[in-house]
Amino acid sequence: MSLRHFIDLQDIDAITLRAMIDHAREIKSDRSAGKPRKLLADKKLAMIFEKHSTRTRVSFESGMLELGGHALNLTSSDLQIGRGESIADTARVLSRYVDAIMMRAIDHRSVIELANYATVPIINGLTDLSHPCQIMADLLTFEEHRGSIKGATVAWIGDGNNVANSWITAAEKFDFTLNIACPEDLAPAASYLESAGKHAVLFDNPQDAVKGANAVVTDTWVSMGQDTSETHKKKLRPYQVGTELMALADKDAIFMHCLPAHRGEEVTADVIDGPQSVVWDEAENRLHAQKAVLVWCMQG
Ligand code: CP
Ligand code: NVA
């Protein structure tokens, strides 16, 4: 049987993804009722980080512990990868010790390479191309606050980055519309847009994109490993999410951000710290959504 990798939402069918979100909701409610389930007793997860992380690292480690398993935190500089050992050999060796591997990689191809040689499931903990674990948490958060996302409108404002790419696939898989406003040369990857078809709509300006939106989402203007120049940031200035922009969305719209946030850049403090913001629930939901992902990968 083929391994259940969680590398990109594009690889997994809509019914399976929906089941994972529903399972995440159950796992969360069992935990808050004081009945945590040890669904991954004695299972081990290796976590390889080539980039910084707060939420991904801590939610995966806490999640494995709460499920009865264990997580090993491995930075690429501590591993022999940092001294030139290949990803292929690392995959072969780690597969002999652990039950799954999560990797946050500079280059998406490293995660694919890992999956090509591992004999255990591989989970994408963010790459330059996508951030599927984040979007599972975001879907759970949206539905907790606003009900089924099917048929809803979500507005993505700002850089067409890795998180945007995963939102685009989510729109296709969960049957909602993603309105995207971004500078022309910072648009999301064409392959994601093409695959999503009518579910992803590009707008010339943020004001039109947020009209009627049930959620407004943004992310940092400078992703890890990206262009940090002032020219890049200058292009994104008209895309700041402030109260005036939020006022153009649906009156019950929520504000979402995967964090870390940069107040005064992609979002103003009064929006992210204001009544429409659900960012802390979103961060918490990384824990619950990823538990469902881990169980799906390791119980398959
Ligand atoms: N949102 C997210 O992935 O956060 P970290 O970079 O802190 O893991
Ligand atoms: N787009 C951001 C997300 C961080 C969680 C980055 O890649 O840095």
Short mmCIF file of all heavy atoms in Angstrom, two decimals, residues 180-210:
data_model
loop_
_atom_site.label_atom_id
_atom_site.label_comp_id
_atom_site.label_asym_id
_atom_site.label_seq_id
_atom_site.Cartn_x
_atom_site.Cartn_y
_atom_site.Cartn_z
N ILE A 180 -8.22 37.02 -4.64
CA ILE A 180 -6.81 37.32 -4.36
C ILE A 180 -6.46 38.70 -4.89
O ILE A 180 -6.65 38.99 -6.07
CB ILE A 180 -5.88 36.30 -5.06
CG1 ILE A 180 -6.24 34.87 -4.61
CG2 ILE A 180 -4.41 36.60 -4.80
CD1 ILE A 180 -5.72 33.80 -5.56
N ALA A 181 -5.92 39.56 -3.99
CA ALA A 181 -5.40 40.85 -4.44
C ALA A 181 -3.93 40.90 -4.09
O ALA A 181 -3.56 40.81 -2.91
CB ALA A 181 -6.14 42.00 -3.76
N CYS A 182 -3.10 41.01 -5.12
CA CYS A 182 -1.64 41.05 -4.88
C CYS A 182 -0.99 41.83 -6.02
O CYS A 182 -1.59 41.95 -7.09
CB CYS A 182 -1.07 39.63 -4.84
SG CYS A 182 -1.43 38.69 -6.30
N PRO A 183 0.22 42.36 -5.83
CA PRO A 183 0.90 42.99 -6.95
C PRO A 183 1.08 41.96 -8.07
O PRO A 183 1.28 40.77 -7.79
CB PRO A 183 2.26 43.40 -6.36
CG PRO A 183 2.06 43.40 -4.88
CD PRO A 183 1.00 42.40 -4.58
N GLU A 184 1.00 42.45 -9.32
CA GLU A 184 1.01 41.53 -10.46
C GLU A 184 2.21 40.57 -10.46
O GLU A 184 2.07 39.38 -10.73
CB GLU A 184 1.02 42.36 -11.75
CG GLU A 184 0.24 41.72 -12.86
CD GLU A 184 0.19 42.62 -14.08
OE1 GLU A 184 0.02 43.85 -13.90
OE2 GLU A 184 0.33 42.08 -15.19
N ASP A 185 3.38 41.11 -10.11
CA ASP A 185 4.57 40.25 -10.16
C ASP A 185 4.78 39.46 -8.86
O ASP A 185 5.79 38.77 -8.71
CB ASP A 185 5.83 41.06 -10.50
CG ASP A 185 6.07 42.18 -9.52
OD1 ASP A 185 5.14 42.54 -8.77
OD2 ASP A 185 7.21 42.68 -9.47
N LEU A 186 3.84 39.55 -7.93
CA LEU A 186 3.94 38.73 -6.71
C LEU A 186 2.72 37.82 -6.61
O LEU A 186 2.25 37.48 -5.52
CB LEU A 186 4.05 39.63 -5.47
CG LEU A 186 5.30 40.51 -5.39
CD1 LEU A 186 5.27 41.40 -4.14
CD2 LEU A 186 6.57 39.67 -5.37
N ALA A 187 2.21 37.43 -7.76
CA ALA A 187 1.02 36.56 -7.79
C ALA A 187 1.38 35.14 -7.36
O ALA A 187 2.53 34.72 -7.48
CB ALA A 187 0.46 36.54 -9.21
N PRO A 188 0.40 34.41 -6.85
CA PRO A 188 0.66 33.02 -6.47
C PRO A 188 1.10 32.19 -7.69
O PRO A 188 0.90 32.59 -8.84
CB PRO A 188 -0.70 32.53 -5.96
CG PRO A 188 -1.46 33.76 -5.61
CD PRO A 188 -0.98 34.82 -6.56
N ALA A 189 1.65 31.00 -7.41
CA ALA A 189 2.17 30.14 -8.48
C ALA A 189 1.07 29.77 -9.47
O ALA A 189 -0.03 29.39 -9.07
CB ALA A 189 2.76 28.88 -7.86
N ALA A 190 1.40 29.88 -10.76
CA ALA A 190 0.42 29.62 -11.82
C ALA A 190 -0.17 28.22 -11.73
O ALA A 190 -1.36 28.02 -11.99
CB ALA A 190 1.08 29.84 -13.17
N SER A 191 0.65 27.24 -11.34
CA SER A 191 0.14 25.85 -11.30
C SER A 191 -1.01 25.73 -10.31
O SER A 191 -1.97 25.00 -10.55
CB SER A 191 1.27 24.90 -10.94
OG SER A 191 1.81 25.25 -9.69
N TYR A 192 -0.92 26.44 -9.18
CA TYR A 192 -2.01 26.37 -8.18
C TYR A 192 -3.25 27.09 -8.72
O TYR A 192 -4.37 26.60 -8.59
CB TYR A 192 -1.57 27.00 -6.85
CG TYR A 192 -0.57 26.13 -6.10
CD1 TYR A 192 0.80 26.28 -6.30
CD2 TYR A 192 -1.01 25.16 -5.21
CE1 TYR A 192 1.70 25.48 -5.62
CE2 TYR A 192 -0.10 24.35 -4.53
CZ TYR A 192 1.25 24.51 -4.74
OH TYR A 192 2.15 23.71 -4.07
N LEU A 193 -3.03 28.25 -9.35
CA LEU A 193 -4.16 29.02 -9.88
C LEU A 193 -4.88 28.23 -10.98
O LEU A 193 -6.11 28.15 -10.99
CB LEU A 193 -3.67 30.36 -10.45
CG LEU A 193 -3.22 31.40 -9.42
CD1 LEU A 193 -2.51 32.56 -10.09
CD2 LEU A 193 -4.42 31.90 -8.59
N GLU A 194 -4.11 27.63 -11.86
CA GLU A 194 -4.72 26.88 -12.97
C GLU A 194 -5.55 25.71 -12.46
O GLU A 194 -6.67 25.48 -12.89
CB GLU A 194 -3.64 26.37 -13.94
CG GLU A 194 -3.17 27.46 -14.88
CD GLU A 194 -1.80 27.18 -15.46
OE1 GLU A 194 -1.37 26.00 -15.46
OE2 GLU A 194 -1.13 28.15 -15.89
N SER A 195 -5.00 25.01 -11.49
CA SER A 195 -5.69 23.84 -10.96
C SER A 195 -7.00 24.25 -10.26
O SER A 195 -8.00 23.54 -10.33
CB SER A 195 -4.74 23.10 -10.02
OG SER A 195 -5.42 22.24 -9.21
N ALA A 196 -6.99 25.40 -9.59
CA ALA A 196 -8.18 25.81 -8.83
C ALA A 196 -9.29 26.37 -9.73
O ALA A 196 -10.45 26.43 -9.32
CB ALA A 196 -7.80 26.85 -7.78
N GLY A 197 -8.95 26.77 -10.95
CA GLY A 197 -9.96 27.28 -11.88
C GLY A 197 -10.77 28.41 -11.28
O GLY A 197 -10.22 29.35 -10.71
N LYS A 198 -12.11 28.28 -11.35
CA LYS A 198 -13.00 29.38 -10.93
C LYS A 198 -12.97 29.62 -9.41
O LYS A 198 -13.48 30.63 -8.93
CB LYS A 198 -14.44 29.07 -11.37
CG LYS A 198 -15.05 27.85 -10.68
CD LYS A 198 -16.50 27.66 -11.08
CE LYS A 198 -17.17 26.40 -10.62
NZ LYS A 198 -17.04 25.87 -9.31
N HIS A 199 -12.36 28.72 -8.66
CA HIS A 199 -12.32 28.90 -7.20
C HIS A 199 -11.33 29.98 -6.75
O HIS A 199 -11.39 30.44 -5.62
CB HIS A 199 -11.96 27.58 -6.51
CG HIS A 199 -13.04 26.55 -6.66
ND1 HIS A 199 -14.22 26.63 -5.98
CD2 HIS A 199 -13.11 25.44 -7.42
CE1 HIS A 199 -14.98 25.61 -6.33
NE2 HIS A 199 -14.33 24.88 -7.19
N ALA A 200 -10.40 30.36 -7.62
CA ALA A 200 -9.43 31.41 -7.27
C ALA A 200 -9.57 32.55 -8.27
O ALA A 200 -9.43 32.34 -9.47
CB ALA A 200 -8.02 30.85 -7.28
N VAL A 201 -9.87 33.75 -7.76
CA VAL A 201 -10.12 34.88 -8.65
C VAL A 201 -9.15 36.01 -8.33
O VAL A 201 -9.06 36.44 -7.16
CB VAL A 201 -11.58 35.40 -8.46
CG1 VAL A 201 -11.91 36.48 -9.49
CG2 VAL A 201 -12.58 34.25 -8.54
N LEU A 202 -8.41 36.47 -9.35
CA LEU A 202 -7.45 37.56 -9.12
C LEU A 202 -8.12 38.92 -9.26
O LEU A 202 -8.91 39.13 -10.19
CB LEU A 202 -6.30 37.45 -10.13
CG LEU A 202 -5.30 36.31 -9.92
CD1 LEU A 202 -4.33 36.23 -11.09
CD2 LEU A 202 -4.53 36.48 -8.61
N PHE A 203 -7.82 39.84 -8.35
CA PHE A 203 -8.38 41.19 -8.38
C PHE A 203 -7.26 42.21 -8.52
O PHE A 203 -6.14 41.97 -8.09
CB PHE A 203 -9.15 41.47 -7.08
CG PHE A 203 -10.52 40.84 -7.05
CD1 PHE A 203 -10.65 39.48 -6.76
CD2 PHE A 203 -11.66 41.57 -7.32
CE1 PHE A 203 -11.90 38.88 -6.75
CE2 PHE A 203 -12.91 40.98 -7.31
CZ PHE A 203 -13.03 39.63 -7.02
N ASP A 204 -7.61 43.38 -9.10
CA ASP A 204 -6.61 44.42 -9.28
C ASP A 204 -6.32 45.16 -7.99
O ASP A 204 -5.25 45.73 -7.82
CB ASP A 204 -7.11 45.46 -10.32
CG ASP A 204 -7.17 44.85 -11.70
OD1 ASP A 204 -6.43 43.87 -11.93
OD2 ASP A 204 -7.98 45.32 -12.52
N ASN A 205 -7.30 45.20 -7.10
CA ASN A 205 -7.06 45.96 -5.87
C ASN A 205 -7.75 45.29 -4.67
O ASN A 205 -8.74 44.57 -4.84
CB ASN A 205 -7.52 47.41 -6.04
CG ASN A 205 -9.01 47.48 -6.24
OD1 ASN A 205 -9.78 47.23 -5.31
ND2 ASN A 205 -9.43 47.77 -7.46
N PRO A 206 -7.21 45.54 -3.47
CA PRO A 206 -7.74 44.89 -2.26
C PRO A 206 -9.18 45.27 -1.96
O PRO A 206 -9.94 44.44 -1.45
CB PRO A 206 -6.80 45.35 -1.14
CG PRO A 206 -5.83 46.29 -1.72
CD PRO A 206 -6.00 46.34 -3.20
N GLN A 207 -9.56 46.50 -2.32
CA GLN A 207 -10.92 46.97 -2.02
C GLN A 207 -11.97 46.11 -2.72
O GLN A 207 -12.98 45.73 -2.12
CB GLN A 207 -11.09 48.45 -2.44
CG GLN A 207 -10.34 49.45 -1.56
CD GLN A 207 -8.83 49.43 -1.81
OE1 GLN A 207 -8.34 49.00 -2.86
NE2 GLN A 207 -8.07 49.89 -0.82
N ASP A 208 -11.73 45.79 -3.98
CA ASP A 208 -12.69 44.93 -4.70
C ASP A 208 -12.63 43.49 -4.18
O ASP A 208 -13.64 42.81 -4.10
CB ASP A 208 -12.39 44.95 -6.21
CG ASP A 208 -12.78 46.28 -6.83
OD1 ASP A 208 -13.59 47.01 -6.21
OD2 ASP A 208 -12.25 46.61 -7.92
N ALA A 209 -11.43 43.04 -3.84
CA ALA A 209 -11.27 41.64 -3.41
C ALA A 209 -12.00 41.34 -2.10
O ALA A 209 -12.49 40.24 -1.90
CB ALA A 209 -9.79 41.30 -3.28
N VAL A 210 -12.07 42.32 -1.20
CA VAL A 210 -12.68 42.03 0.11
C VAL A 210 -14.20 42.20 0.12
O VAL A 210 -14.86 41.80 1.09
CB VAL A 210 -12.08 42.89 1.26
CG1 VAL A 210 -10.59 42.64 1.40
CG2 VAL A 210 -12.38 44.36 1.08
#
